[in-house]
Amino acid sequence: MTMHGKYFHHALKFRKDVCIGCSHCMNVCPTQAIRIHGGKAELTDNRCVDCGKCYLVCPVGAIIVEQDDFSRIFEYEHRVALIPSVLPGQFPESVSVRQICSVLLEMGFTDIFEVEHGTRILKDAMKVYMNERKDTRPLISTFCPAIVRLIQVKFPNYTNNLIHLKAALDIAAQYYQKKLIDQGADPDQIGIFYITPCAAKIAAIKSPVGDEHSAITGVINMDFIYNKVYTSVKQGFSGKKTCTIPQMQPLQPEEMLWTLTEGESSQISGRALAIDEINNVIEFMEKIENEEINDIDFLELRACDQSCAGGILTSGNRFFAAERLRNNARKARKQGQDVFVRESPESIDDYAAELKKDLGVNKILPRSMDKLDEDMTRAMHKMQKVQEIMKTLPYVDCGLCGSPTCNALAEDIAQGEATVDQCIFVQKKYEQSGKLTPKESMEKMQKIWGREKFQDSDN
Amino acid sequence: MDNQMQFEYNVEGGNFTRAGYASSQIKKILKQLNVDIAIIKRTVVAAYEAEVNVVAHAYSGTIYVDIDTEAVKIKLVDEGPGIPDIDQAMEEGYSTASSQVREMGFGAGMGLPNMKKNADKLEISSEVEKGTTVEITMFLNDKG
């Protein structure tokens, strides 16, 4: 919509040439950001939070997640793959982390670093942050970028409750960059590429909400890496002989689990609650907004079911991925990994003091999507119009008008972006009373759904 | 077009499952009208407390919402036992709620004090064995 400027960069792109206008995406969008026009799905930029529900239901792959061209990594001498723990979780237990890493090196990366190392720095900072803000409750995690955007557009009252600290991902990237520079690397020759399980992280990196620049150079989608690793494993590549694997600092068990549901809440003292899946989050936040619940200290909110194990770019089953990560953490705990052993000469702890100084982010602003107008009198007039229009609509929410619900259509009309005769029920009434000819009524539908869908299959 | 709007909601006494429905609707409307978010927050807290009070104590009630560009007025009229001593009811911690209601997380005796804290203006009138009328006023511009 042209009413406001564009607030967000979106990683989800709709391909008009592929879209068949089936409206599956429109019907699952939790923020009602999609409309159908001319037989194609269209995105309202300021409503979309990049959760990717649409991506999952598109039957023809018309929704794509933009990523950097893989060859971009070769523009840099130091090519760092920043991997989240859900990457190894994608593969059956028989595929080792070692194997995955060797495939990444084979592909051209020179360094591999696990994102969750950043949580060690973040966890302490979160404790301090929460203690310093005892009057603001509940504090809400900024782990999931889709949730940060959801709070901005749908629960603007709560932007102050968001924990204004850098994500573990950015901390990890910053650490690795600093480390390489200290080892003599040319800053311009460092390319840090994040292997992402979702679109929201990409959008956050390309236009950070509260933080202006990111240490991350580019993003590679996890499904791309998954296919490379799988092909390699299937072709019998064991990875043991061809590459020397860099010694990696082992993650602590709780660090491995950070990206799963309860990964953060289990680490926070006080009453902490974890909620995953965006519709669950919306339902819960509605209650929080009414202050029906007011003794919660910390909320871990994640847009995907099973958190990052259910990221839209993951290929493995989300329940198996979560299980595998939990098994790994259990094994690590048994082996006494939580008794901190420094196997590698380098650790993110070496830079802890420096990294902690730079954890703040700019203020995350409210971006209410619900307001009908900036001006209250005009908003009131639009609301009256919506009420008036609703009297003529059937409350069926069939979506045939190209808007997800009757109410959404009424609002679109009040905003001057749709007309009431887009409703099939209204069309029938108009045809009956002679206000519309059958031909005109047909044209209305064609305008929404495209001509092709109305062609006679016999001819 | 009018520069004011009215809404009306019915509240069923004793039905806690639906307690909060009217407040949620009011919140949605104020968001759509681009009312300042801090004011929305206070309005909804006061309205929710008042709504729960009707559910907890009265047999039935009606919520009348009146919005113009100056103020939001929420009037809750209930048929119920009434409040014999309003001043006492305004004290923090004072509650007549049954243990059953308290177990559900309601009735901690913070309802009226919390409403007073959040509303710009709060008026309560009551007649024992008839019912109670609560009127919450929120000023949208500089406080009147």
Side-chain angles (χ1 to χ4, degrees):
Chain A
M1 279 188 231
T2 49
M3 211 169 80
H4 316 281
K6 196 173 169 180
Y7 295 139
F8 303 127
H9 171 95
H10 294 293
L12 292 162
K13 305 279 177 214
F14 285 57
R15 284 191 58 181
K16 284 214 153 112
D17 55 330
V18 183
C19 178
I20 55 166
C22 67
S23 79
H24 292 188
C25 55
M26 178 178 83
N27 294 324
V28 297
C29 177
T31 58
Q32 299 196 331
I34 299 168
R35 301 290 182 273
I36 308 293
H37 189 76
K40 308 288 171 188
E42 284 177 359
L43 189 67
T44 310
D45 281 330
N46 293 339
R47 283 180 162 262
C48 171
V49 298
D50 280 288
C51 71
K53 286 259 174 191
C54 52
Y55 175 89
L56 291 176
V57 297
C58 180
V60 293
I63 301 168
I64 53 164
V65 180
E66 68 162 2
Q67 64 178 323
D68 288 294
D69 189 70
F70 186 75
S71 63
R72 260 196 75 200
I73 74 163
F74 296 104
E75 292 167 18
Y76 303 88
E77 192 187 318
H78 303 273
R79 304 180 284 275
V80 185
L82 209 52
I83 62 167
S85 62
V86 290
L87 174 63
Q90 297 308 297
F91 301 95
E93 309 250 354
S94 57
V95 180
S96 68
V97 177
R98 204 186 151 79
Q99 259 175 307
I100 297 164
C101 289
S102 56
V103 176
L104 287 169
L105 294 175
E106 185 84 345
M107 287 170 76
F109 286 106
T110 56
D111 296 73
I112 299 165
F113 190 61
E114 289 162 294
V115 173
E116 285 76 18
H117 285 290
T119 64
R120 197 176 313 169
I121 307 292
L122 180 62
K123 202 170 90 180
D124 292 343
M126 277 166 76
K127 275 187 190 141
V128 175
Y129 188 98
M130 289 187 68
N131 280 330
E132 284 171 354
R133 288 166 186 78
K134 287 210 157 77
D135 295 340
T136 313
R137 289 292 185 267
L139 285 168
I140 302 170
S141 166
T142 37
F143 172 90
C144 174
I147 293 298
V148 173
R149 289 183 172 191
L150 179 75
I151 301 286
Q152 286 184 288
V153 300
K154 212 168 161 57
F155 304 98
N157 258 341
Y158 283 83
T159 49
N160 276 334
N161 296 54
L162 290 166
I163 295 180
H164 281 57
L165 290 175
K166 279 202 176 108
L169 168 62
D170 293 303
I171 300 169
Q174 245 176 345
Y175 157 69
Y176 217 85
Q177 193 182 36
K178 282 182 199 289
K179 189 196 92 165
L180 287 175
I181 292 171
D182 285 356
Q183 287 172 353
D186 174 356
D188 293 336
Q189 283 300 321
I190 301 172
I192 300 178
F193 292 85
Y194 175 54
I195 315 296
T196 184
C198 72
K201 298 262 191 203
I202 303 177
I205 289 165
K206 300 286 175 185
S207 77
V209 170
D211 186 24
E212 279 130 355
H213 68 104
S214 171
I216 296 157
T217 316
V219 190
I220 310 292
N221 292 352
M222 193 176 281
D223 52 358
F224 175 80
I225 299 293
Y226 176 87
N227 289 333
K228 290 278 182 199
V229 173
Y230 228 88
T231 310
S232 172
V233 169
K234 285 282 171 209
Q235 288 170 356
F237 173 68
S238 70
K240 277 170 195 153
K241 291 178 193 113
T242 39
C243 291
T244 29
I245 315 286
Q247 184 79 46
M248 281 168 83
Q249 178 83 46
L251 284 170
Q252 304 295 300
E254 68 273 15
E255 291 166 0
M256 290 179 190
L257 299 175
W258 189 264
T259 55
L260 295 187
T261 306
E262 294 184 357
E264 292 172 274
S265 67
S266 62
Q267 302 289 308
I268 300 285
S269 51
R271 188 174 178 203
L273 216 64
I275 293 157
D276 60 10
E277 204 279 321
I278 192 161
N279 291 304
N280 293 336
V281 171
I282 292 172
E283 183 193 329
F284 191 81
M285 280 306 296
E286 299 269 358
K287 288 203 176 291
I288 289 280
E289 230 183 1
N290 292 5
E291 300 211 353
E292 286 178 46
I293 312 158
N294 48 24
D295 54 352
I296 296 173
D297 296 301
F298 175 81
L299 280 178
E300 170 199 308
L301 307 175
R302 309 276 177 89
C304 296
D305 180 31
Q306 303 297 314
S307 293
C308 295
I312 64 163
L313 294 171
T314 57
S315 309
N317 178 285
R318 61 186 182 279
F319 302 105
F320 290 150
E323 182 198 34
R324 187 173 188 204
L325 288 185
R326 291 190 205 285
N327 285 344
N328 287 349
R330 205 173 297 126
K331 266 185 234 155
R333 209 167 277 139
K334 243 188 202 157
Q335 287 162 7
Q337 234 175 57
D338 46 339
V339 182
F340 187 65
V341 202
R342 285 183 67 156
E343 290 181 5
S344 136
E346 293 154 354
S347 159
I348 197 165
D349 288 332
D350 302 338
Y351 288 76
E354 204 180 325
L355 290 167
K356 276 178 187 167
K357 269 186 245 156
D358 192 22
L359 283 178
V361 293
N362 291 340
K363 198 163 166 47
I364 303 170
L365 298 170
R367 305 271 190 225
S368 171
M369 65 172 193
D370 287 324
K371 62 182 171 211
L372 292 169
D373 203 293
E374 291 288 337
D375 176 78
M376 191 179 167
T377 312
R378 278 204 301 267
M380 218 179 261
H381 292 167
K382 284 179 184 172
M383 190 181 279
Q384 285 158 6
K385 198 166 177 190
V386 170
Q387 288 178 328
E388 210 47 49
I389 296 160
M390 282 307 285
K391 286 179 193 161
T392 64
L393 297 181
Y395 286 86
V396 171
D397 295 342
C398 64
L400 286 177
C401 58
S403 295
T405 62
C406 292
N407 197 71
L409 174 66
E411 286 181 22
D412 290 348
I413 297 167
Q415 299 290 12
E417 281 153 11
T419 51
V420 73
D421 53 18
Q422 283 176 221
C423 171
I424 187 107
F425 288 79
V426 172
Q427 285 172 24
K428 292 279 170 205
K429 283 190 270 182
Y430 282 7
E431 273 183 56
Q432 198 71 33
S433 66
K435 217 167 160 183
L436 271 184
T437 65
K439 187 171 173 279
E440 285 168 332
S441 161
M442 175 61 105
E443 280 164 1
K444 297 275 173 204
M445 289 315 270
Q446 284 173 336
K447 221 174 136 188
I448 302 164
W449 296 98
R451 293 188 166 274
E452 282 170 35
K453 284 196 171 60
F454 297 93
Q455 270 160 14
D456 201 335
S457 54
D458 294 338
N459 301 333
Chain B
M1 294 255 173
D2 277 340
N3 286 339
Q4 59 171 47
M5 296 189 81
Q6 272 118 23
F7 301 88
E8 205 181 303
Y9 305 97
N10 291 321
V11 184
E12 193 186 329
N15 188 353
F16 284 95
T17 320
R18 265 178 72 84
Y21 174 78
S23 314
S24 280
Q25 295 302 309
I26 295 169
K27 174 182 73 187
K28 219 165 149 185
I29 290 162
L30 298 181
K31 273 184 174 180
Q32 289 190 313
L33 294 179
N34 201 26
V35 168
D36 180 80
I37 51 177
I39 298 176
I40 297 182
K41 196 165 178 173
R42 286 192 293 117
T43 312
V44 171
V45 174
Y48 177 72
E49 292 288 1
E51 185 181 354
V52 168
N53 273 350
V54 175
V55 176
H57 302 290
Y59 316 126
S60 70
T62 310
I63 302 180
Y64 303 93
V65 185
D66 213 315
I67 306 171
D68 59 36
T69 49
E70 301 293 316
V72 178
K73 284 182 190 145
I74 302 168
K75 192 171 166 184
L76 300 95
V77 182
D78 75 41
E79 283 172 37
I83 307 171
D85 185 342
I86 292 174
D87 289 337
Q88 189 186 31
M90 293 297 287
E91 282 169 30
E92 286 192 13
Y94 178 80
S95 177
T96 59
S98 65
S99 59
Q100 195 190 350
V101 168
R102 284 166 191 257
E103 267 168 34
M104 292 166 78
F106 301 100
M110 296 302 288
L112 287 179
N114 208 10
M115 272 157 60
K116 199 176 160 72
K117 204 174 85 190
N118 284 286
D120 289 333
K121 200 169 127 197
L122 181 68
E123 286 173 321
I124 305 174
S125 59
S126 188
E127 205 177 322
V128 174
E129 275 161 37
K130 279 257 166 83
T132 304
T133 298
V134 172
E135 202 169 343
I136 297 163
T137 308
M138 308 298 293
F139 297 108
L140 299 182
N141 305 309
D142 287 321
K143 279 170 197 172

